[in-house]
Amino acid sequence: MSKKSPIAATKHLTGVVIASVCLSTSAFAQSEADAVYMAGAERVHVGGLMRETAQRMAVASCFFDAGIEVDAYSAQITQGVSDYDSYLTALTEGDAALGIDTAEEGRGLNSTIYSVSSQWDRFKEAALGRLNGEGPTDGTDYVSRHNLNMMHTSKYLLREIIADYAIPPALLQSDAFTLDIVTRQPALSNQISKEACGLITGNTVMGSTTRFDKSVGRFDASMGALINGFDSLGVSAPPTPEVRASLEAIAADWATLKADLEQVAGSTDVTLALSIDQQFEVINGKFDEIIPAYIESSKSGL
């Protein structure tokens, strides 16, 4: 949708100073009111879901390729395709169920969404192909090799959404950045799970010790920032005591899970990989429960 442009210049006031000021104030107030309906926080959330889903599909693909819980993980791939398609539709056409009531009218952002869609179409084709037993036509495993590219493409789109929609009073930069971090945690969860699966099952494309260690460190640091706030990085403190308590509960789950993550190096125990993924599923479910509170908090100043 079209964005409200800032007041271009201050008019030179003459004999109608009071009238002009009143009109300008009224127009600005209307701009603020209109901004309420931009659904910026919801769009950031959907962008985060896209980033998360790209890695969820990679996790499922790793287990599927290793012949582990094939039915369950093939269903996750199918669900991921459906979800990602719906998120793209929400960003372009709107989706009231996701809190986005209007279509995107910004030409620049629509162009970025189109680029993401083009890459997604190729990724989706490869993901569905593996479920049908079709080998890669170019001699490479497209899903394994390009899942990070898909995630980073989604991340770039998210940055563009924040740049367009983090417009006070509709969405403060600090709220947008905090939403970015809190919605990044489930994506990192999936990335860590994927790397653990790859390392344990010997899938060297899916699993890299360097990426694994980096993602674990990033998830850990982000938990501390979310619980305590990190003003210098733009991360706000929890919006309510209840959210803080939920984050502390997630941190406790994370502390337990890290003990399993420390066993990944050199392991070939697929039950360890499954346990890690199942624990992350619980953690991600708890993040799903608190993200709406962050979205609601972003509107508290309106």
Side-chain angles (χ1 to χ4, degrees):
M1 67 184 300
S2 58
K3 312 299 184 299
K4 297 293 181 185
S5 19
I7 297 174
T10 304
K11 295 182 179 179
H12 176 66
L13 301 178
T14 57
V16 287
V17 174
I18 296 177
S20 296
V21 170
C22 288
L23 286 172
S24 296
T25 302
S26 176
F28 184 70
Q30 184 60 49
S31 176
E32 286 187 312
D34 291 346
V36 175
Y37 304 104
M38 292 171 66
E42 288 84 355
R43 293 175 191 273
V44 171
H45 183 205
V46 169
L49 289 170
M50 292 170 68
R51 179 172 53 183
E52 175 187 349
T53 301
Q55 281 302 284
R56 185 67 236 161
M57 291 179 65
V59 175
S61 296
C62 181
F63 282 104
F64 180 87
D65 290 348
I68 301 168
E69 302 286 347
V70 169
D71 289 343
Y73 284 107
S74 63
Q76 288 188 24
I77 293 173
T78 302
Q79 185 63 51
V81 167
S82 176
D83 288 345
Y84 204 100
D85 279 340
S86 70
Y87 301 146
L88 282 170
T89 299
L91 290 181
T92 53
E93 302 174 14
D95 185 337
L98 291 169
I100 302 174
D101 292 329
T102 55
E104 177 60 54
E105 294 181 4
R107 294 173 62 183
L109 194 49
N110 267 322
S111 177
T112 302
I113 295 171
Y114 178 79
S115 296
V116 174
S117 297
S118 297
Q119 184 171 348
W120 165 244
D121 287 342
R122 177 67 183 90
F123 188 84
K124 175 172 66 173
E125 178 186 7
L128 294 176
R130 79 195 307 126
L131 295 183
N132 296 325
E134 301 168 5
T137 58
D138 59 358
T140 63
D141 180 348
Y142 190 91
V143 174
S144 296
R145 295 186 183 279
H146 290 273
N147 69 85
L148 286 175
N149 290 338
M150 195 70 244
M151 185 184 74
H152 290 314
T153 298
S154 303
K155 180 175 71 175
Y156 175 73
L157 171 60
L158 183 54
R159 295 292 185 270
E160 292 290 298
I161 293 171
I162 290 173
D164 271 22
Y165 283 94
I167 304 172
L171 180 62
L172 300 178
Q173 283 281 354
S174 58
D175 288 334
F177 189 72
T178 303
L179 266 172
D180 183 16
I181 298 302
V182 75
T183 60
R184 188 181 69 181
Q185 291 297 83
L188 283 173
S189 294
N190 287 336
Q191 185 170 353
I192 296 167
S193 187
K194 178 203 71 178
E195 301 291 345
C197 173
L199 289 168
I200 289 171
T201 63
N203 187 331
T204 57
V205 180
M206 288 284 198
S208 159
T209 300
T210 300
R211 290 195 303 266
F212 176 79
D213 291 342
K214 183 178 180 179
S215 297
V216 169
R218 185 173 292 171
F219 188 99
D220 199 47
S222 296
M223 283 306 307
L226 288 170
I227 291 172
N228 301 308
F230 204 135
D231 289 341
S232 63
L233 293 180
V235 182
S236 302
T240 67
E242 291 77 13
V243 170
R244 182 182 180 87
S246 295
L247 285 169
E248 289 173 342
I250 293 173
D253 292 342
W254 169 242
T256 300
L257 175 54
K258 280 200 294 186
D260 282 348
L261 297 178
E262 291 170 358
Q263 305 301 314
V264 167
S267 176
T268 57
D269 183 4
V270 297
T271 61
L272 175 61
L274 277 169
S275 174
I276 289 170
D277 193 46
Q278 289 162 0
Q279 290 176 75
F280 270 131
E281 183 179 4
V282 173
I283 286 174
N284 286 354
K286 292 182 178 181
F287 272 114
D288 288 342
E289 292 175 358
I290 64 172
I291 287 173
Y294 280 93
I295 294 174
E296 185 64 25
S297 174
S298 74
K299 305 178 189 302
S300 62
L302 294 171

